[in-house]
Amino acid sequence: MVLLPLTGAVTGQESDPDLLVVAETHWGFDGRVPLHEFVPLSIQLKNLSPTPWQGFLELSRVVRGNRQFGATIVEEVTLQGDETRWVQLTPYVIDNLEDWEIRWGDGENHLVTLPPVIKGERSTVLIYDTDDVSLSESIFKRMPEERFPTSVTATHGLRGIVLDQVPFWQGARARAFHDWLRLGGRVYLLHNQEGKFPFFPTALSFLNSEQTEFKIGAGNVQKLALKVEDFTLDDARRKIFNDDLKDSEQTTQAKTIQNQPTKGYSSYGMSQLVWSKHYDTFKSLTELSKYKRHWWLIYIAVFGYLTVQYPGCYVVGTEQKNVVRFYLLFFAAAGFFALVFGLLGQVGGQSKNRIRSIVLAQSLEDGDFEITGWTVLSNIYAGTHAISFPGSGQVYTTTQEAEFVNGKMNPGTGGGVAFQMLPDSKRTLYYRSRLRTNLPRPQLLSKDVGDLRTQSLSINIKDCFTEQPIYALAVLQGYIYELEVKDNFLELKRTKSPELLASYLQRDYDFGFNMWGTRIKPDDDEEKEKKLVGLKRYVKLVRPLVGNSFGLVNEIEARKLKLDNQILRLFVLTAVPAELQNDPSDFPDQDGTVLFTYDLKL
């Protein structure tokens, strides 16, 4: 028992950092990354020792090499003796004018500055085998099959995949590929060197369809009877890179969105299609997470204390000239009101550390969801506060553009975050994970469409949610409809007219003032929102989550809002089920909702 703590296996002692070398690094899927997104960062590590190496990689975002922004990503790494392998982290990239550093020890030789981030659109890449010596030249950017992520949470920077051979993907990597495709990915199958389409094993058998084009969830698979070397740049642009922009394939929804009028700035009358991925959500959650003080009692106590001092103490000390009475009154008032202010001034009275959050749960298969969460942590007393989240493949960011965050984020299954927080402070957190539950999918019972608009709709949601839905919407053929909850069914709300999806997503950015600096009176909808209580306060957060489910980043793009005419996207807002609840140790006061989304085939 005395000797056991001296062993590295028991204490978790790290190996010598001099024995580890970072040999190679790669950003994203093709060297370019979309901004405001989690992207894979592939790092090739070499263990120079014949014995196993164990330690931690710390990834930080810095500016000018000395000032860190955001929190540090920490990943535990274990390599066998003389092993060389790829390790993948998933940072959240905000800007391409920033530097990233990897550290695995305290010495100067234990630090590597990564190549600059190159901004780009979502990638479309050709997957290849690095051991294949007969690779043909092509105009496609390539990515080795072993660098494909093992979780869907790292695939949002990927638009399409080109395959002319069978990749060696099994287990988590095959599941991540399937999840990515179901969420809207695009796969292009080409002829191999024998002039045939590849035949895929069991893990990827969903690609073995005889059709030349078919759907997998919201994703699309096309077969193109060409070899990689046969593609010219013009062919690739028409048939692969921009295939979803062809006039012949544009859906009714896309045409409607492009032709519909846009809203404007209510203060200035300027048209706009801007979009904010996090601003509206975090602003509302921060407001919901505030602690309330009894200010009217505090003001009365302040007035009472000043009254005791003057004229109370002044009269006793000048007119009565009784020193004993003066000091008794003075110190008694000071002690009494110190106690009163101490009690009334406590953060939130008897409140506890709290979390206010909203989650977007996008259905993958029966019971499987990709989780995207926005959370605001509020603490009362200073200290290090930690929180863990359910699911696998977890990735985190504090979304801070220009602020240092004293904390560490541990991604992956069983990971979590820990921050050093000041008293009465707040910390924003954005994360993704993959979660498996036992919840069945809703079933579309009937629908009736006339004149391009839905006339009736009925969806069975029995046993699909552990709590009664609070709010529900449906998107079909470019329109968004509000639904009514009736027992175990969702039906079209007759009293609410449908609205164009793009129009619904737009927001008037008036900032509360007009061009003359005069405050604008809130409209009726804002007044109604202020009167909402309980979980209904989260209904106003549905709009930004609907847009985020389509992958909007900086603007409302018609290209991203397109859905197949035979797909109905359902949104259901409910209380947080047990499977999604966080560890309450450091933040016992938890409140929030989940917006479940499903793509139902008509």
Side-chain angles (χ1 to χ4, degrees):
M1 291 177 63
V2 172
L3 294 177
L4 279 178
L6 301 179
T7 66
V10 174
T11 62
Q13 182 177 354
E14 297 181 40
S15 304
D16 184 356
D18 289 332
L19 300 177
L20 186 72
V21 173
V22 174
E24 198 174 347
T25 60
H26 288 279
W27 279 107
F29 297 91
D30 63 357
R32 297 176 180 269
V33 300
L35 301 184
H36 300 284
E37 191 54 85
F38 289 106
V39 298
L41 170 63
S42 302
I43 307 165
Q44 190 181 59
L45 301 177
K46 289 186 178 180
N47 180 8
L48 304 179
S49 168
T51 59
W53 190 95
Q54 182 178 3
F56 295 90
L57 291 181
E58 295 187 356
L59 179 65
S60 303
R61 180 167 59 100
V62 297
V63 173
R64 298 179 181 176
N66 54 11
R67 183 177 179 183
Q68 179 181 340
F69 287 165
T72 303
I73 300 174
V74 180
E75 178 79 16
E76 186 174 6
V77 176
T78 301
L79 280 79
Q80 299 303 316
D82 298 318
E83 182 184 10
T84 299
R85 72 180 180 91
W86 289 95
V87 173
Q88 203 166 76
L89 301 179
T90 312
Y92 185 82
V93 176
I94 295 178
D95 201 332
N96 60 328
L97 301 177
E98 55 194 17
D99 299 320
W100 290 83
E101 294 180 346
I102 299 176
R103 178 175 288 279
W104 63 95
D106 297 328
E108 294 182 0
N109 60 328
H110 307 148
L111 176 69
V112 168
T113 300
L114 298 177
V117 174
I118 301 177
K119 180 176 68 172
E121 298 298 323
R122 294 194 305 155
S123 308
T124 299
V125 294
L126 171 67
I127 303 297
Y128 75 99
D129 181 4
T130 53
D131 295 329
D132 188 356
V133 295
S134 60
L135 293 176
S136 303
E137 292 186 1
S138 74
I139 53 89
F140 297 109
K141 292 186 178 181
R142 303 174 185 263
M143 188 188 77
E145 60 184 29
E146 65 268 20
R147 292 216 313 259
F148 191 83
T150 56
S151 176
V152 66
T153 57
T155 61
H156 287 261
L158 179 64
R159 175 189 173 271
I161 283 181
V162 182
L163 292 174
D164 67 341
Q165 58 182 340
V166 179
F168 186 68
W169 289 342
Q170 296 179 340
R173 192 165 274 120
R175 185 180 67 182
F177 169 71
H178 193 195
D179 290 345
W180 163 81
L181 181 56
R182 289 182 63 87
L183 287 177
R186 308 183 75 85
V187 175
Y188 307 91
L189 303 180
L190 308 184
H191 277 170
N192 54 25
Q193 294 304 310
E194 299 175 356
K196 299 178 180 179
F197 290 111
F199 184 81
F200 297 90
T202 303
L204 304 175
S205 60
F206 50 86
L207 296 177
N208 292 328
S209 174
E210 296 295 331
Q211 303 177 38
T212 57
E213 186 169 359
F214 54 96
K215 291 283 185 180
I216 303 290
N220 191 68
V221 181
Q222 289 188 55
K223 289 184 175 181
L224 303 174
L226 292 170
K227 294 182 181 180
V228 169
E229 58 268 26
D230 295 336
F231 272 87
T232 64
L233 183 58
D234 185 61
D235 288 336
R237 284 173 176 166
R238 286 187 297 103
K239 297 180 179 181
I240 293 182
F241 300 141
N242 296 312
D243 66 313
D244 55 342
L245 290 182
K246 291 187 292 185
D247 291 338
S248 59
E249 295 180 0
Q250 275 197 343
T251 62
T252 304
Q253 172 187 356
K255 293 178 180 178
T256 305
I257 292 171
Q258 291 171 350
N259 297 327
Q260 61 101 19
T262 62
K263 295 180 182 179
Y265 291 91
S266 61
S267 300
Y268 306 101
M270 299 173 62
S271 63
Q272 51 87 31
L273 282 169
V274 297
W275 179 260
S276 176
K277 191 171 185 177
H278 305 301
Y279 176 78
D280 292 335
T281 307
F282 279 137
K283 180 182 178 182
S284 297
L285 289 177
T286 301
E287 191 67 29
L288 291 172
S289 67
K290 285 183 178 180
Y291 295 103
K292 305 299 181 182
R293 291 182 174 90
H294 300 294
W295 285 107
W296 63 279
L297 288 176
I298 294 176
Y299 293 145
I300 292 175
V302 170
F303 180 77
Y305 177 67
L306 295 176
T307 302
V308 172
Q309 295 298 318
Y310 181 88
C313 289
Y314 178 79
V315 171
V316 173
T318 56
E319 296 183 7
Q320 297 185 11
K321 298 182 179 179
N322 188 317
V323 177
V324 175
R325 291 181 181 176
F326 169 80
Y327 280 113
L328 285 175
L329 180 60
F330 179 81
F331 286 113
F336 173 76
F337 282 100
L339 179 62
V340 170
F341 290 135
L343 294 175
L344 293 179
Q346 290 185 60
V347 177
Q350 300 300 316
S351 297
K352 302 176 181 178
N353 290 356
R354 62 176 51 166
I355 288 180
R356 297 295 179 261
S357 59
I358 190 165
V359 171
L360 177 66
Q362 294 180 272
S363 178
L364 301 170
E365 294 177 320
D366 287 344
D368 292 351
F369 296 90
E370 190 200 29
I371 304 301
T372 305
W374 292 259
T375 295
V376 173
L377 311 175
S378 298
N379 70 300
I380 297 176
Y381 301 108
T384 300
H385 302 285
I387 188 72
S388 61
F389 295 82
S392 61
Q394 300 166 7
V395 289
Y396 302 100
T397 178
T398 58
T399 67
Q400 298 298 324
E401 296 189 15
E403 177 187 351
F404 168 68
V405 177
N406 188 3
K408 296 186 182 298
M409 303 180 293
N410 300 94
T413 305
V417 297
F419 301 119
Q420 181 71 32
M421 301 179 69
L422 298 173
D424 191 14
S425 62
K426 294 174 176 57
R427 174 60 55 215
T428 59
L429 189 64
Y430 175 64
Y431 69 94
R432 278 202 171 108
S433 66
R434 188 187 192 280
L435 187 68
R436 172 159 291 180
T437 71
N438 295 320
L439 301 175
R441 288 171 61 87
Q443 299 296 319
L444 182 63
L445 299 180
S446 64
K447 62 142 182 111
D448 177 32
V449 179
D451 297 330
L452 298 179
R453 295 194 184 186
T454 302
Q455 305 297 319
S456 65
L457 191 65
S458 180
I459 301 172
N460 183 7
I461 58 170
K462 184 178 181 181
D463 300 327
C464 295
F465 310 103
T466 57
E467 302 289 342
Q468 182 76 355
I470 304 168
Y471 188 68
L473 295 169
V475 174
L476 179 62
Q477 297 181 356
Y479 287 91
I480 189 163
Y481 301 83
E482 189 171 333
L483 305 180
E484 189 174 1
V485 181
K486 293 184 177 180
D487 296 327
N488 293 321
F489 300 93
L490 296 176
E491 296 183 356
L492 207 61
K493 196 169 186 177
R494 299 292 182 180
T495 58
K496 187 75 172 181
S497 300
E499 188 176 3
L500 285 166
L501 176 59
S503 178
Y504 166 80
L505 293 175
Q506 290 181 57
R507 174 178 180 269
D508 291 332
Y509 286 91
D510 54 31
F511 306 103
F513 295 90
N514 59 22
M515 61 187 302
W516 296 280
T518 305
R519 180 171 292 278
I520 299 172
K521 182 181 178 181
D523 57 27
D524 293 338
D525 290 337
E526 290 184 46
E527 291 295 337
K528 291 178 181 178
E529 286 178 359
K530 292 179 181 179
K531 296 178 181 179
L532 295 177
V533 296
L535 296 181
K536 290 185 178 180
R537 297 174 299 167
Y538 292 85
V539 171
K540 62 182 178 181
L541 294 174
V542 169
R543 183 195 63 84
L545 263 64
V546 169
N548 283 320
S549 75
F550 286 92
L552 301 183
V553 179
N554 295 317
E555 59 180 324
I556 301 175
E557 304 175 61
R559 181 176 184 172
K560 291 185 176 180
L561 295 183
K562 288 197 300 182
L563 279 179
D564 189 278
N565 280 338
Q566 297 304 312
I567 293 291
L568 179 145
R569 180 161 293 183
L570 175 66
F571 298 92
V572 181
L573 185 71
T574 74
V576 178
E579 296 91 339
L580 276 169
Q581 292 180 359
N582 309 112
D583 176 16
S585 302
D586 279 10
F587 295 89
D589 180 5
Q590 301 193 12
D591 190 26
T593 54
V594 179
L595 184 66
F596 288 95
T597 174
Y598 307 85
D599 285 343
L600 306 180
K601 291 184 178 180
L602 303 184

